[in-house]
């Protein structure tokens, strides 16, 4: 199902189609995102609106609309995807980090709003999939900036999500870094 997650109608279509097709939804992963450089000197209102709409409003609508369904069923699990960099943001991505930082707050708020039936957590990936234009020197520098001295993989992120869904029913409101220790370097 394809839909615009930055709109109420789009997320409602996703929810209703999933329920129609599968009978219910037990797990939602809010992973849609936009990510592109927005140098401070060239920032536009459209850059802010784009980042807030997709990176924050989309997860909010997902938590709200899917969360109601899950709460009514008596169980569910929502995972929001944020970014390790909200703790240590870097320049030229202000709208992105503001939106992803707000997803951390959204996760904690929704964990309270939807408890005890629905668990709401977030994962904060670090260097996993680097931009295609990164040079070997840039890649090496990113690897060296982690405690484990390597890049992560999509499987690393998926395993953290799997733990949140199947590994424990006693974790909610948490943000799990999957960053190779990048936050503490």
């Amino acid at each position: 199902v394809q839909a615009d997650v930055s709109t109420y109608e789009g997320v409602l279509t996703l929810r209703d189609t999933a329920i129609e097709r599968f009978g219910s939804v037990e797990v939602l992963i809010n992973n849609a995102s936009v990510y592109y450089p927005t140098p401070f000197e060239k920032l536009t209102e459209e850059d802010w609106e784009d980042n807030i709409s997709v990176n924050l409003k989309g997860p909010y609508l997902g938590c709200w609309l899917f969360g109601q369904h899950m709460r009514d069923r008596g169980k569910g699990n929502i995972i929001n995807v944020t970014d390790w960099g909200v703790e240590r943001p870097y320049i030229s991505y202000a709208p992105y980090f503001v939106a992803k930082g707000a997803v951390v707050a959204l996760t904690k708020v929704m964990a309270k709003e939807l408890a005890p039936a629905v668990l709401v957590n977030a994962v904060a990936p670090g260097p996993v999939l680097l931009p295609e234009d990164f040079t070997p020197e840039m890649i090496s520098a990113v690897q060296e900036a982690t405690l484990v001295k390597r890049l992560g993989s999509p499987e690393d992120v998926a395993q953290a999500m799997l733990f949140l869904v199947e590994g424990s029913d006693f974790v909610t409101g948490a943000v799990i870094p999957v960053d190779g220790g990048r936050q503490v370097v």
Side-chain angles (χ1 to χ4, degrees):
V1 178
Q2 292 184 354
D4 181 353
V5 297
S6 70
T7 68
Y8 174 88
E9 295 79 15
V11 178
L12 186 63
T13 297
L14 287 174
R15 185 197 69 182
D16 291 350
T17 302
I19 292 170
E20 180 181 310
R21 189 171 297 161
F22 301 108
S24 69
V25 176
E26 294 182 17
V27 176
L28 170 68
I29 298 174
N30 282 312
N31 190 43
S33 182
V34 294
Y35 177 80
Y36 52 87
T38 51
F40 188 76
E41 300 77 21
K42 297 179 181 179
L43 267 175
T44 66
E45 189 172 355
E46 290 77 27
D47 291 329
W48 282 96
E49 289 176 1
D50 188 32
N51 275 272
I52 297 300
S53 292
V54 176
N55 296 339
L56 176 57
K57 186 179 176 188
Y60 159 72
L61 290 169
C63 288
W64 181 43
L65 294 172
F66 282 83
Q68 290 175 54
H69 164 74
M70 292 174 180
R71 186 184 58 206
D72 291 347
R73 290 190 66 249
K75 67 178 181 174
N77 207 310
I78 297 174
I79 300 171
N80 295 318
V81 178
T82 184
D83 191 297
W84 79 275
V86 301
E87 297 295 325
R88 293 180 44 203
Y90 36 94
I91 62 170
S92 296
Y93 290 87
Y96 171 81
F97 283 119
V98 168
K100 288 296 189 172
V103 169
V104 171
L106 173 71
T107 299
K108 294 174 182 184
V109 167
M110 288 297 172
K112 285 187 167 189
E113 292 287 347
L114 296 171
V118 182
L119 304 177
V120 184
N121 293 290
V123 295
V128 174
L129 297 173
L130 300 180
E132 292 180 10
D133 62 348
F134 266 38
T135 65
E137 294 80 19
M138 294 166 80
I139 294 169
S140 179
V142 170
Q143 290 173 324
E144 286 302 309
T146 69
L147 291 177
V148 298
K149 305 301 183 203
R150 68 175 178 84
L151 298 177
S153 69
E155 290 77 22
D156 292 321
V157 178
Q159 286 299 316
M161 291 179 178
L162 188 61
F163 167 75
L164 290 171
V165 173
E166 295 181 351
S168 177
D169 62 358
F170 198 63
V171 179
T172 193
V175 179
I176 309 297
V178 185
D179 65 356
R182 183 84 186 254
Q183 286 183 20
V184 296
V185 172

